[in-house]
Every structure is written in structure tokens, then in C-alpha cells.
Amino acid sequence: METHAYKRMEEINRLHMVKKGIFAGLPIMVGYLPIALTYGVLANNSGLSILELTMMSVFVFAGAAQFLAVGMVAAGTGFIEIITATFVLNFRHFVMSLSFVNRLKNIALRAKIPLTLGLTDETFTMSALYRKEAKEDYASWFYASLILTAYASWVGGSLVGGLLGDVMPERLSESMGIALYAMFIGLLLPSIKKEHKIAIIALIAIGINTFLQSLGMSQGWAIVLGTLLGGMSGIWIMNEEGEDA
Amino acid sequence: MIWMIIGMAVVTAIPRFLPAVIIDFIKFPKWVDRWLNAIPYAALGALIFPGIMSVKPDAPQIGVIAGMAAILLAWLNLHIILVVGGAIISVFVLTL
């Protein structure tokens, strides 16, 4: 009887973490949908079949790289160049993943690997704001739910965009291009408000990224270096817990 | 085309999962922990700017103004979905 009650409690805790994860992923779902629809439309117009463009979302799950690839396919660029450009653009996820797993020491490797495969700019930065959950029971269920909510929106949106074509009025889809940037701002601001020093980290990253891109460096490497060097200022600003120093 | 998708998937997946595999074998000194803890904020900065100016490539100020609207809404502690919605409306109105 006692073990039964215990099991029941475990289930409730797990369900609670899943619900919390889905809730945390909802803003990403909203942000991804218009972008995914646009990707589906563009990819289809560039000659990718519905199956191909959906499979790309399933297996690559990286918005910017997918847009780049579709544009390069349309321009007749070779596959090797497309794959190289994808690597450069997505290498920032290595840095993000390192920061992500460094906070998830309590999670088993077999759970960590699938979680890291779902890391994007959005799922990573959103997860980073829920650092308390990393220490709770069923932490992996929380992060998995957050990531899968975003993933479902990205894959589903791509498919629907490819199937339906241009359903959104152009003006509206153009306006929605701001969505992810606004989300990044909405994620960053509360942390800055709580601890002003965090603004220094972000501003250094912005400065380095802008400077390197103005010198003609590719967007991919400029973001990687901006993130790494901007983050380096955290050595003096942050404390170990990652809360405000 | 299928090989392009597989190639893109592989070069995207390896940098993503490699840290999960190696993290158990390394013990970072404290200062590296602080560095890694600052990465999300640095990444957010680098992702926002100058990318936001490409929302309307022929009118970079529109992205910047909408970004400032987002900053204001976020500063007022509005939920992130409202921040996103407000920024979308700003761009919509600015391009009327």
C-alpha cells in the first residue's frame, strides 16, 4: 500500500514537470510557427518535395541553417558548400551545449544526448532561464517537454507551410519576422533587470559580433566568437551558481 | 537531396551532442563554470544584434524600433508572449 502511494506521488511529480516544460515551451511554439510556415513555403518553391523539406526539419532542426540551405539550393549551390555553411552557422550550438550540460550534472548520459540534439538558440536560452529545474526530480522530463513543444511546432509548421503554400498574407508573415528577436529580448531583459551587470555581458557580445561581421566575417563564426568572448566577461561578473554575483 | 539533408543533420548533431559525452570526463575549474554560466546572456546579445536589423533588410530602422518596443514591454514585466505580440504589431504598423 505504501509503495503504491509512493509510486502515485512519483507519477504526479513527473506529470507536473512535463506540464511545466510544455508551458515553458509555449512562447517558442508561438515564435516558431510563422517562421516554420514561411520555411515550408520557401523550401517548396525552391524545389524541395514536401517529404524532403519536412525531413530536413525533423533531422536538422535549425531554422537559420535551413533557410540558408533552401536559399542556396534555389541559387544552385553545391551540396558540399551547403553542408559546410551549415556547420559554420550551427557551430554556436557546441558552445551552448557545453553551457547546458554543465548545469545538468545530475542527468544520465542517455537522457543528456537526446536533450542536446534538441538544442536551438531558443530552446537553449529558454532552458537557461529555468536553471532551478535542473536540480529538481524529473529534470530531464521538464527539459524534454520544453524541447518537444518547440520541435512539434517547427516540424508541424514546416509541413503545413509546404502543403498549403502561401496562406498567410505577405504583410503579416513579414511582420512576424521580428518574433524570435522579440523573444530573445523578452528572455534577456528580466535577467538584466534583476542584475544590471548581465547587460555588460550581452553588450560585449553584441559589440564583438557586430565588429566582426562588419569586417566581413561570416555570421556563424561572428556569433560563436561574440558568444565566447562576451561570456568570458562573466568570469569576473558571474558567481558559480550562475545567479547574480 | 537526401545526402544534403543527411550531411546537414550530421554536421549539426555532432557539435550539439559532443559536450554531453565529454562533460562527465572533465572537471572544470570554477572560473570556467562562471564563463559557461554567462554564455546564455552573451548568446542572447549576439543573436539579437545586428540580426534584428535584417527583419526588413531595406529598412533596418524598423527592426530596431520594434526591438525597442519589445525592450519597453519586457521592462514592464509583461509575459513574453505579449512582448512578442507587441513587437509584431509594431512592425505591422510601421510598414503600413
XYZ file of all heavy atoms in Angstrom, chain A residues 27 52 56 59-61 69 79 82 86 90 93-94 97-99 102 109 112 116-117 119 121 125 128 131 171 174-175 178 181-185 189 191 193 198 205-206 209-210 227-228 231-232 234-235 238 240 242, chain B residues 1 4-5 7-9 11-13 15-17 19-20 23-24 28 30-31 33-52 55-56 67 71 74-75 77 80 87-88 91-92 95-96:
823
model
N 5.977 29.852 -25.525
C 6.405 31.039 -26.278
C 7.246 30.674 -27.495
O 7.149 31.333 -28.534
C 7.236 31.828 -25.261
C 6.781 31.345 -23.932
C 6.373 29.918 -24.115
N 10.975 15.969 -48.398
C 12.331 16.468 -48.165
C 12.352 17.641 -47.191
O 13.169 17.672 -46.259
C 12.974 16.888 -49.492
C 13.381 15.707 -50.365
C 13.672 16.097 -51.804
O 13.322 17.231 -52.205
O 14.241 15.272 -52.540
N 14.008 17.570 -43.472
C 15.070 18.482 -43.069
C 14.743 19.076 -41.697
O 15.611 19.174 -40.828
C 15.261 19.590 -44.107
C 16.589 20.303 -43.957
S 16.755 21.794 -44.932
C 17.265 21.157 -46.499
N 15.305 16.211 -39.017
C 16.669 15.765 -38.728
C 17.662 16.895 -38.477
O 18.700 16.671 -37.866
C 17.186 14.869 -39.856
C 16.469 13.555 -39.929
C 15.644 13.239 -41.013
C 16.581 12.636 -38.894
C 14.965 12.034 -41.063
C 15.903 11.429 -38.936
C 15.090 11.128 -40.025
N 17.396 18.087 -38.993
C 18.348 19.183 -38.794
C 17.869 20.073 -37.639
O 18.634 20.395 -36.742
C 18.555 20.000 -40.088
C 19.587 21.089 -39.856
C 19.009 19.080 -41.229
N 16.599 20.459 -37.635
C 16.016 21.271 -36.562
C 16.881 22.482 -36.243
O 17.330 22.674 -35.128
C 15.788 20.402 -35.313
C 15.013 21.086 -34.207
C 13.983 21.979 -34.477
C 15.303 20.824 -32.875
C 13.267 22.598 -33.468
C 14.592 21.436 -31.844
C 13.575 22.326 -32.149
N 20.123 26.934 -46.411
C 20.232 25.803 -47.337
C 19.226 25.935 -48.477
O 19.566 25.736 -49.648
C 20.014 24.488 -46.582
N 26.170 20.819 -52.877
C 25.830 20.271 -51.564
C 26.955 20.447 -50.540
O 26.709 20.709 -49.371
C 25.481 18.777 -51.670
C 24.151 18.523 -52.332
C 23.712 17.234 -52.571
C 23.337 19.577 -52.716
C 22.485 17.000 -53.179
C 22.107 19.361 -53.326
C 21.685 18.059 -53.555
N 26.873 23.791 -49.102
C 25.716 23.951 -48.220
C 25.993 23.309 -46.862
O 25.711 23.879 -45.814
C 24.440 23.356 -48.873
C 24.096 24.153 -50.129
C 23.280 23.329 -47.880
C 22.882 23.650 -50.884
N 26.335 25.113 -43.242
C 25.507 24.655 -42.121
C 26.367 24.436 -40.884
O 26.006 24.834 -39.775
C 24.797 23.330 -42.487
O 24.011 23.548 -43.647
C 23.909 22.842 -41.358
N 25.950 26.532 -37.458
C 25.420 25.822 -36.290
C 26.463 25.505 -35.230
O 26.132 24.925 -34.200
C 24.740 24.519 -36.723
C 23.401 24.791 -37.374
O 22.859 25.869 -37.221
N 22.887 23.826 -38.097
N 26.048 26.060 -31.447
C 25.347 25.134 -30.556
C 26.319 24.304 -29.719
O 25.947 23.775 -28.679
C 24.413 24.218 -31.356
C 23.296 24.976 -32.025
N 22.831 24.673 -33.278
C 22.583 26.050 -31.599
C 21.860 25.535 -33.594
N 21.701 26.372 -32.604
N 27.569 24.185 -30.188
C 28.579 23.488 -29.388
C 28.814 24.246 -28.087
O 28.832 23.662 -27.005
C 29.890 23.364 -30.181
C 30.992 22.687 -29.409
C 31.046 21.306 -29.317
C 31.972 23.434 -28.764
C 32.050 20.673 -28.593
C 32.973 22.814 -28.033
C 33.013 21.434 -27.948
N 25.675 24.006 -25.951
C 25.512 22.671 -25.379
C 26.441 22.466 -24.188
O 26.060 21.873 -23.173
C 25.783 21.614 -26.459
O 25.700 20.328 -25.917
N 27.665 22.990 -24.307
C 28.626 22.876 -23.216
C 28.090 23.589 -21.971
O 28.176 23.064 -20.850
C 29.957 23.494 -23.666
C 31.230 23.021 -22.987
C 31.380 21.510 -23.066
C 32.444 23.685 -23.630
N 27.525 24.767 -22.177
C 26.940 25.510 -21.061
C 25.725 24.764 -20.495
O 25.521 24.703 -19.284
C 26.533 26.909 -21.556
O 25.737 27.574 -20.615
N 26.728 21.469 -18.578
C 27.472 21.783 -17.356
C 26.533 22.035 -16.182
O 26.925 21.943 -15.027
C 28.369 23.001 -17.607
C 29.440 23.156 -16.555
O 30.071 22.165 -16.155
N 29.654 24.373 -16.076
N 23.567 10.200 -18.922
C 24.060 10.436 -20.270
C 23.009 10.063 -21.316
O 22.821 10.759 -22.306
C 25.353 9.645 -20.499
C 26.018 9.833 -21.859
C 26.471 11.268 -22.068
C 27.212 8.896 -22.019
N 20.858 12.917 -21.532
C 21.510 14.149 -21.951
C 21.704 14.212 -23.466
O 21.550 15.266 -24.073
C 22.876 14.287 -21.253
C 22.849 15.276 -20.111
C 24.215 15.548 -19.527
C 24.876 14.328 -18.968
N 25.968 14.619 -18.012
N 20.446 17.275 -25.847
C 21.346 18.195 -26.551
C 21.038 18.218 -28.046
O 21.235 19.238 -28.698
C 22.827 17.827 -26.354
O 23.014 16.447 -26.703
C 23.273 18.047 -24.933
N 20.533 17.105 -28.592
C 20.183 17.094 -30.017
C 19.029 18.054 -30.301
O 18.837 18.474 -31.436
C 19.818 15.679 -30.470
C 21.009 14.710 -30.562
C 20.535 13.302 -30.905
C 22.019 15.182 -31.611
N 18.803 21.066 -28.938
C 19.186 22.435 -28.581
C 19.180 23.353 -29.796
O 19.824 23.076 -30.799
C 20.580 22.457 -27.943
C 20.690 22.005 -26.490
C 22.132 22.157 -26.011
C 19.760 22.805 -25.589
N 18.878 27.899 -30.608
C 19.071 29.172 -29.904
C 17.953 29.378 -28.877
O 18.187 29.821 -27.761
C 19.030 30.348 -30.897
C 20.101 30.222 -31.953
O 21.143 29.591 -31.667
O 19.901 30.742 -33.065
N 18.321 29.048 -24.769
C 18.217 30.245 -23.936
C 17.016 30.149 -22.994
O 17.080 30.607 -21.858
C 18.145 31.524 -24.799
O 17.231 31.325 -25.871
C 19.498 31.870 -25.364
N 17.971 27.938 -20.171
C 18.949 28.578 -19.292
C 18.253 29.429 -18.235
O 18.789 29.646 -17.153
C 19.911 29.427 -20.113
N 16.897 27.430 -14.579
C 18.022 26.643 -14.068
C 17.688 25.931 -12.758
O 18.282 24.927 -12.419
C 19.278 27.499 -13.918
C 19.077 28.841 -13.290
C 20.407 29.573 -13.174
N 20.738 30.396 -14.332
C 21.813 30.212 -15.100
N 22.627 29.231 -14.858
N 22.065 31.009 -16.100
N 2.181 40.672 -45.805
C 2.453 41.712 -44.811
C 2.557 41.111 -43.410
O 3.426 41.462 -42.620
C 1.338 42.768 -44.817
C 1.432 43.802 -45.919
C 2.276 45.014 -45.507
N 2.031 45.414 -44.126
C 0.956 46.023 -43.704
N 0.010 46.336 -44.551
N 0.821 46.341 -42.446
N 5.688 38.929 -43.010
C 6.871 39.805 -42.912
C 6.981 40.398 -41.514
O 8.058 40.461 -40.942
C 6.765 40.943 -43.936
C 7.364 40.594 -45.277
C 7.440 41.812 -46.181
O 6.908 42.880 -45.814
O 8.033 41.675 -47.257
N 5.843 40.829 -40.977
C 5.845 41.425 -39.635
C 6.288 40.401 -38.597
O 6.872 40.744 -37.579
C 4.453 41.935 -39.269
O 3.985 42.809 -40.256
N 9.963 39.473 -36.849
C 10.519 40.064 -35.623
C 10.342 39.129 -34.426
O 10.998 39.307 -33.386
C 9.858 41.440 -35.339
C 10.596 42.254 -34.236
C 8.406 41.274 -34.887
C 11.823 42.933 -34.687
N 13.373 37.591 -32.499
C 14.210 38.635 -31.888
C 13.520 39.189 -30.642
O 14.150 39.422 -29.617
C 14.475 39.763 -32.888
C 15.319 39.322 -34.056
C 14.764 39.149 -35.317
C 16.676 39.048 -33.883
C 15.538 38.738 -36.382
C 17.454 38.636 -34.935
C 16.886 38.477 -36.193
O 17.655 38.056 -37.233
N 12.200 39.402 -30.763
C 11.445 39.916 -29.615
C 11.495 38.905 -28.474
O 11.579 39.274 -27.304
C 10.004 40.206 -30.020
N 11.482 37.612 -28.831
C 11.551 36.589 -27.794
C 12.911 36.644 -27.092
O 12.984 36.556 -25.866
C 11.326 35.208 -28.389
C 11.117 34.180 -27.332
S 10.576 32.649 -28.056
C 12.130 31.930 -28.350
N 13.987 36.801 -27.866
C 15.314 36.904 -27.247
C 15.357 38.100 -26.295
O 15.911 38.015 -25.202
C 16.397 37.066 -28.321
C 16.572 35.853 -29.201
C 16.828 35.987 -30.562
C 16.499 34.572 -28.675
C 16.993 34.873 -31.375
C 16.672 33.455 -29.477
C 16.913 33.615 -30.836
N 14.770 39.217 -26.726
C 14.734 40.405 -25.863
C 13.920 40.111 -24.601
O 14.333 40.429 -23.485
C 14.148 41.616 -26.635
C 15.144 42.059 -27.709
C 13.827 42.775 -25.678
C 14.619 43.105 -28.667
N 15.824 40.597 -20.967
C 15.507 41.768 -20.144
C 15.261 41.463 -18.659
O 15.797 42.156 -17.798
C 14.314 42.516 -20.748
C 14.639 43.842 -21.433
C 14.935 44.917 -20.395
C 15.835 43.718 -22.376
N 16.455 39.209 -16.793
C 17.732 38.931 -16.114
C 18.508 40.216 -15.896
O 19.133 40.399 -14.846
C 18.581 37.958 -16.941
O 17.848 36.801 -17.213
N 17.217 43.189 -15.620
C 16.508 43.970 -14.612
C 16.890 43.515 -13.208
O 17.044 44.309 -12.294
C 14.995 43.789 -14.804
C 14.273 45.083 -15.094
C 12.787 44.856 -15.179
C 12.073 45.653 -14.133
N 10.612 45.600 -14.307
N 24.549 41.906 -15.977
C 24.346 40.995 -17.100
C 24.305 41.757 -18.425
O 24.696 41.245 -19.469
C 23.075 40.147 -16.859
C 23.421 39.071 -15.817
C 22.557 39.504 -18.137
C 22.255 38.256 -15.359
N 29.088 41.006 -26.119
C 28.808 40.033 -27.188
C 28.280 40.731 -28.437
O 28.689 40.427 -29.557
C 27.810 38.987 -26.686
N 27.370 41.695 -28.228
C 26.818 42.456 -29.362
C 27.946 43.203 -30.080
O 28.054 43.159 -31.308
C 25.745 43.468 -28.878
C 24.458 42.728 -28.501
C 25.469 44.532 -29.937
C 23.376 43.620 -27.909
N 30.283 40.759 -32.003
C 29.567 40.193 -33.147
C 29.417 41.227 -34.269
O 29.696 40.939 -35.439
C 28.197 39.693 -32.675
C 27.385 39.060 -33.779
O 27.937 38.494 -34.720
N 26.080 39.156 -33.675
N 29.015 42.442 -33.893
C 28.819 43.499 -34.892
C 30.143 43.861 -35.560
O 30.221 43.973 -36.786
C 28.220 44.764 -34.220
O 27.080 44.378 -33.462
C 27.816 45.791 -35.251
N 29.712 35.229 -28.659
C 29.179 34.497 -27.506
C 30.302 34.090 -26.551
O 30.210 34.262 -25.332
C 28.413 33.249 -27.987
O 27.369 33.655 -28.872
C 27.807 32.499 -26.815
N 31.388 33.549 -27.132
C 32.500 33.077 -26.295
C 33.179 34.229 -25.555
O 33.416 34.149 -24.345
C 33.538 32.367 -27.161
C 33.319 30.871 -27.398
C 34.376 30.342 -28.355
C 33.368 30.110 -26.076
N 30.804 36.003 -23.166
C 30.645 35.144 -21.992
C 31.864 35.185 -21.092
O 31.761 35.022 -19.870
N 33.033 35.424 -21.703
C 34.269 35.456 -20.923
C 34.232 36.546 -19.849
O 34.783 36.379 -18.756
C 35.452 35.693 -21.869
C 36.798 35.408 -21.274
S 38.073 35.845 -22.464
C 38.510 34.245 -23.062
N 31.935 37.146 -18.086
C 31.228 36.552 -16.954
C 32.154 35.972 -15.907
O 31.765 35.796 -14.751
N 33.398 35.661 -16.305
C 34.371 35.121 -15.345
C 34.524 36.085 -14.170
O 34.684 35.672 -13.034
C 35.742 34.887 -16.048
C 35.590 33.824 -17.123
C 36.818 34.494 -15.027
C 36.822 33.634 -17.983
N 30.005 36.858 -13.014
C 29.085 35.852 -12.508
C 29.631 35.185 -11.246
O 30.836 35.215 -11.002
C 28.846 34.752 -13.547
C 28.369 35.252 -14.889
S 26.674 35.817 -14.860
C 25.817 34.249 -14.825
N 29.447 31.202 -9.194
C 29.404 29.815 -9.672
C 28.005 29.302 -9.911
O 27.755 28.505 -10.791
C 30.104 28.886 -8.668
C 31.585 28.738 -8.916
C 32.347 29.906 -8.354
O 31.868 30.503 -7.359
O 33.414 30.261 -8.906
N 25.610 30.771 -11.092
C 25.009 31.323 -12.281
C 23.918 32.314 -11.920
O 23.280 32.882 -12.776
N 19.579 15.153 -53.020
C 18.967 15.987 -51.977
C 18.993 15.288 -50.613
O 19.289 15.916 -49.595
C 17.515 16.293 -52.384
C 16.876 17.383 -51.561
S 17.620 19.014 -51.800
C 16.922 19.488 -53.393
N 22.277 15.676 -48.982
C 22.466 17.018 -48.427
C 21.812 17.097 -47.043
O 22.411 17.618 -46.095
C 21.839 18.061 -49.362
C 21.998 19.476 -48.849
S 21.059 20.667 -49.817
C 19.463 20.577 -49.039
N 20.588 16.543 -46.936
C 19.879 16.592 -45.651
C 20.631 15.782 -44.595
O 20.822 16.237 -43.465
C 18.421 16.091 -45.821
C 17.657 17.050 -46.740
C 17.722 15.970 -44.464
C 16.281 16.567 -47.158
N 23.848 15.089 -44.581
C 25.081 15.822 -44.275
C 24.820 16.977 -43.325
O 25.541 17.168 -42.336
N 23.756 17.735 -43.589
C 23.413 18.860 -42.712
C 23.066 18.361 -41.309
O 23.442 18.973 -40.312
C 22.203 19.634 -43.275
C 22.507 20.479 -44.496
S 20.992 21.220 -45.172
C 20.553 22.354 -43.851
N 22.329 17.227 -41.255
C 21.933 16.674 -39.953
C 23.169 16.262 -39.157
O 23.270 16.550 -37.961
C 20.992 15.487 -40.151
N 26.441 17.328 -39.464
C 27.297 18.440 -39.006
C 26.591 19.325 -37.978
O 27.223 20.093 -37.271
C 27.831 19.316 -40.173
C 28.670 18.493 -41.127
C 26.714 20.046 -40.898
N 25.264 19.220 -37.893
C 24.539 19.962 -36.853
C 24.510 19.155 -35.555
O 24.661 19.706 -34.464
C 23.091 20.274 -37.306
O 23.146 20.976 -38.547
C 22.367 21.136 -36.289
N 24.325 17.823 -35.691
C 24.163 16.973 -34.497
C 25.463 16.833 -33.711
O 25.446 16.878 -32.478
C 23.640 15.598 -34.908
N 28.250 18.813 -33.130
C 28.549 19.848 -32.136
C 27.513 19.914 -31.014
O 27.831 20.340 -29.910
C 28.541 21.143 -32.950
C 28.712 20.729 -34.359
C 28.084 19.376 -34.477
N 26.286 19.472 -31.284
C 25.256 19.540 -30.249
C 25.477 18.482 -29.170
O 25.388 18.784 -27.981
C 23.859 19.344 -30.861
C 23.232 20.607 -31.395
C 21.874 20.321 -32.006
N 21.267 21.540 -32.549
C 20.243 21.551 -33.384
N 19.693 20.419 -33.788
N 19.754 22.686 -33.831
N 25.761 17.228 -29.565
C 25.793 16.193 -28.522
C 27.182 15.925 -27.963
O 27.302 15.341 -26.880
C 25.122 14.896 -29.004
C 25.960 14.011 -29.877
C 26.959 13.212 -29.333
C 25.733 13.943 -31.245
C 27.727 12.391 -30.140
C 26.499 13.120 -32.052
C 27.502 12.344 -31.501
N 29.380 17.774 -26.352
C 29.589 18.183 -24.963
C 28.942 17.238 -23.944
O 29.499 17.014 -22.870
C 28.934 19.570 -24.908
C 29.055 20.087 -26.296
C 28.824 18.883 -27.175
N 27.785 16.631 -24.290
C 27.122 15.705 -23.361
C 28.005 14.500 -23.088
O 28.057 13.985 -21.965
C 25.775 15.254 -23.939
N 31.417 15.827 -21.085
C 31.314 16.586 -19.825
C 31.600 15.732 -18.593
O 32.149 16.214 -17.604
C 29.934 17.284 -19.703
C 29.951 18.369 -18.615
C 28.821 16.292 -19.380
C 30.583 19.645 -19.022
N 31.246 14.419 -18.652
C 31.445 13.561 -17.485
C 32.917 13.270 -17.221
O 33.274 12.783 -16.157
C 30.670 12.247 -17.663
C 29.161 12.492 -17.609
O 28.761 13.509 -17.025
O 28.406 11.666 -18.155
N 35.617 21.096 -14.589
C 36.039 22.452 -14.905
C 36.422 23.200 -13.639
O 35.786 23.037 -12.595
C 34.909 23.224 -15.582
C 34.675 22.830 -17.007
C 33.420 22.429 -17.437
C 35.710 22.867 -17.933
C 33.193 22.081 -18.752
C 35.497 22.512 -19.251
C 34.237 22.118 -19.666
N 36.492 26.584 -11.301
C 35.377 27.489 -11.019
C 35.204 28.594 -12.062
O 34.087 28.957 -12.424
C 35.590 28.157 -9.642
C 35.541 27.171 -8.492
C 34.113 26.910 -8.060
C 34.045 26.076 -6.800
N 32.886 25.167 -6.817
N 36.345 29.137 -12.525
C 36.222 30.267 -13.453
C 35.613 29.835 -14.782
O 34.921 30.611 -15.421
C 37.561 30.995 -13.643
C 38.671 30.158 -14.239
C 39.566 29.396 -13.565
C 39.002 30.022 -15.630
N 40.432 28.780 -14.443
C 40.109 29.161 -15.711
C 38.466 30.557 -16.809
C 40.692 28.797 -16.932
C 39.041 30.205 -18.027
C 40.148 29.323 -18.077
N 33.282 27.500 -14.980
C 31.849 27.446 -14.647
C 31.196 28.817 -14.793
O 30.098 28.936 -15.334
C 31.651 26.960 -13.198
C 31.716 25.443 -13.098
O 31.554 24.778 -14.144
O 31.919 24.933 -11.983
N 31.899 29.844 -14.308
C 31.337 31.195 -14.407
C 31.214 31.617 -15.870
O 30.231 32.232 -16.272
C 32.221 32.197 -13.637
C 32.191 32.008 -12.137
C 32.680 33.256 -11.402
N 34.074 33.564 -11.679
C 35.108 33.040 -11.006
N 34.901 32.208 -10.007
N 36.342 33.368 -11.323
N 32.236 31.269 -16.658
C 32.225 31.564 -18.094
C 30.998 30.892 -18.738
O 30.201 31.541 -19.425
C 33.530 31.056 -18.710
C 33.762 31.443 -20.139
C 32.865 32.027 -20.998
C 34.982 31.294 -20.877
N 33.460 32.233 -22.218
C 34.752 31.800 -22.174
C 36.243 30.779 -20.555
C 35.745 31.788 -23.159
C 37.226 30.761 -21.546
C 36.985 31.267 -22.829
N 30.833 29.608 -18.472
C 29.723 28.870 -19.090
C 28.369 29.383 -18.617
O 27.398 29.397 -19.381
C 29.859 27.374 -18.802
C 31.036 26.686 -19.510
C 31.153 25.236 -19.073
C 30.881 26.761 -21.038
N 28.292 29.836 -17.375
C 27.030 30.379 -16.875
C 26.661 31.704 -17.537
O 25.494 32.093 -17.554
C 27.093 30.566 -15.355
C 26.909 29.246 -14.622
O 26.285 28.330 -15.153
N 27.475 29.144 -13.437
N 27.677 32.400 -18.058
C 27.404 33.677 -18.719
C 27.043 33.487 -20.190
O 26.545 34.422 -20.830
C 28.623 34.590 -18.595
N 27.289 32.280 -20.723
C 27.062 32.030 -22.151
C 25.630 32.355 -22.610
O 25.460 32.986 -23.660
C 27.445 30.563 -22.514
C 28.972 30.371 -22.438
C 26.929 30.162 -23.894
C 29.780 31.159 -23.445
N 24.576 31.984 -21.850
C 23.232 32.304 -22.343
C 23.026 33.803 -22.592
O 22.437 34.183 -23.600
C 22.313 31.819 -21.215
C 23.085 30.758 -20.530
C 24.529 31.171 -20.624
N 23.533 34.644 -21.696
C 23.330 36.081 -21.849
C 24.129 36.631 -23.032
O 23.647 37.476 -23.786
C 23.724 36.810 -20.555
C 23.054 36.214 -19.342
C 23.792 35.626 -18.318
C 21.661 36.191 -19.245
C 23.167 35.049 -17.228
C 21.026 35.620 -18.159
C 21.785 35.048 -17.152
O 21.157 34.476 -16.077
N 25.357 36.113 -23.186
C 26.176 36.535 -24.320
C 25.525 36.076 -25.623
O 25.445 36.833 -26.598
C 27.586 35.959 -24.191
N 25.018 34.826 -25.635
C 24.385 34.298 -26.843
C 23.174 35.146 -27.210
O 22.979 35.496 -28.381
C 23.977 32.840 -26.634
N 22.364 35.508 -26.201
C 21.179 36.323 -26.486
C 21.582 37.648 -27.125
O 20.987 38.079 -28.115
C 20.379 36.569 -25.195
C 19.529 35.381 -24.731
C 19.024 35.599 -23.308
C 18.351 35.160 -25.668
N 22.610 38.286 -26.568
C 23.081 39.550 -27.138
C 23.495 39.378 -28.592
O 23.025 40.094 -29.483
N 24.349 38.377 -28.844
C 24.867 38.159 -30.191
C 23.752 37.772 -31.167
O 23.823 38.079 -32.355
C 25.954 37.091 -30.169
N 22.709 37.112 -30.661
C 21.611 36.706 -31.543
C 20.697 37.881 -31.883
O 20.089 37.924 -32.947
C 20.789 35.584 -30.896
C 21.478 34.216 -30.803
C 20.711 33.299 -29.865
C 21.617 33.575 -32.174
N 20.597 38.845 -30.950
C 19.674 39.961 -31.172
C 20.244 40.962 -32.184
O 19.557 41.388 -33.102
C 19.366 40.685 -29.839
C 18.557 39.776 -28.909
C 18.594 41.978 -30.103
C 18.458 40.278 -27.466
N 21.503 41.303 -31.999
C 22.065 42.379 -32.809
C 23.369 41.938 -33.467
O 24.180 41.293 -32.813
C 22.316 43.614 -31.922
C 22.485 44.887 -32.687
C 21.404 45.668 -33.028
C 23.751 45.279 -33.098
C 21.577 46.840 -33.752
C 23.934 46.441 -33.828
C 22.844 47.225 -34.146
N 23.602 42.217 -34.734
C 22.832 43.072 -35.646
C 21.706 42.366 -36.410
O 21.077 42.990 -37.258
C 23.895 43.570 -36.623
C 24.918 42.465 -36.664
C 24.897 41.828 -35.313
N 21.429 41.094 -36.077
C 20.409 40.350 -36.821
C 19.067 41.054 -36.910
O 18.380 40.991 -37.931
N 18.692 41.769 -35.839
C 17.364 42.393 -35.787
C 17.173 43.422 -36.903
O 16.051 43.689 -37.322
C 17.122 43.025 -34.389
C 15.628 43.262 -34.163
C 17.936 44.295 -34.197
C 15.245 43.513 -32.717
N 15.246 42.303 -40.234
C 13.818 41.981 -40.270
C 13.186 42.577 -41.528
O 12.427 41.919 -42.237
C 13.108 42.507 -39.000
C 11.597 42.405 -39.143
C 13.564 41.707 -37.790
N 13.511 43.851 -41.777
C 13.177 44.480 -43.061
C 14.511 44.947 -43.634
O 14.977 46.039 -43.284
C 12.260 45.692 -42.863
C 10.817 45.401 -42.550
C 10.007 44.904 -43.717
C 9.525 45.979 -44.669
N 8.800 45.384 -45.809
N 12.367 46.464 -31.798
C 13.176 45.914 -30.718
C 13.066 46.783 -29.466
O 12.970 46.275 -28.349
N 11.789 45.891 -25.776
C 12.530 46.182 -24.540
C 11.601 46.855 -23.524
O 11.547 46.472 -22.355
C 13.748 47.101 -24.833
C 14.812 46.321 -25.609
C 14.338 47.664 -23.533
C 16.017 47.142 -26.042
N 9.061 44.354 -22.169
C 9.697 43.403 -21.265
C 10.053 44.088 -19.948
O 9.987 43.485 -18.881
C 10.948 42.807 -21.919
N 10.430 45.367 -20.054
C 10.787 46.122 -18.846
C 9.578 46.287 -17.931
O 9.699 46.374 -16.721
C 11.346 47.499 -19.250
C 12.121 48.131 -18.146
C 11.701 49.086 -17.278
C 13.477 47.839 -17.784
N 12.697 49.406 -16.394
C 13.796 48.657 -16.681
C 14.455 46.953 -18.283
C 15.055 48.622 -16.063
C 15.702 46.928 -17.669
C 15.985 47.749 -16.575
N 7.532 44.095 -17.324
C 7.242 42.764 -16.782
C 6.068 42.064 -17.471
O 5.401 41.226 -16.867
C 6.940 42.813 -15.278
C 8.146 43.253 -14.485
O 9.278 42.935 -14.872
N 7.928 43.980 -13.413
N 6.156 37.044 -21.873
C 6.961 37.038 -23.097
C 6.111 36.943 -24.365
O 6.452 37.512 -25.405
C 8.012 35.909 -23.023
C 9.011 36.026 -24.148
C 7.366 34.535 -23.041
C 10.346 35.440 -23.817
N 5.805 43.406 -30.436
C 6.831 43.677 -31.448
C 6.283 43.417 -32.850
O 6.552 44.178 -33.785
C 8.067 42.812 -31.187
N 5.486 42.339 -32.995
C 4.895 42.032 -34.306
C 3.974 43.169 -34.742
O 4.039 43.643 -35.883
C 4.123 40.688 -34.253
C 5.107 39.527 -34.065
C 3.301 40.482 -35.530
C 4.438 38.177 -33.841
N 5.951 46.219 -35.977
C 6.441 46.103 -37.352
C 5.285 46.275 -38.329
O 5.391 46.979 -39.336
C 7.132 44.737 -37.587
C 7.516 44.574 -39.052
C 8.374 44.621 -36.719
N 4.153 45.657 -37.991
C 2.977 45.729 -38.860
C 2.550 47.184 -39.066
O 2.302 47.633 -40.187
C 1.839 44.908 -38.231
C 0.704 44.618 -39.171
C 0.802 43.581 -40.101
C -0.452 45.371 -39.137
C -0.232 43.314 -40.975
C -1.496 45.108 -40.007
C -1.389 44.068 -40.934
N 5.069 49.364 -41.097
C 5.172 49.099 -42.534
C 3.856 49.397 -43.255
O 3.705 49.059 -44.421
C 5.590 47.644 -42.802
O 4.705 46.778 -42.078
C 7.011 47.384 -42.362
N 2.912 50.022 -42.548
C 1.617 50.353 -43.176
C 1.814 51.276 -44.376
O 2.667 52.165 -44.325
C 0.695 51.029 -42.149
C -0.139 50.091 -41.274
C -0.945 50.925 -40.268
C -1.075 49.228 -42.096
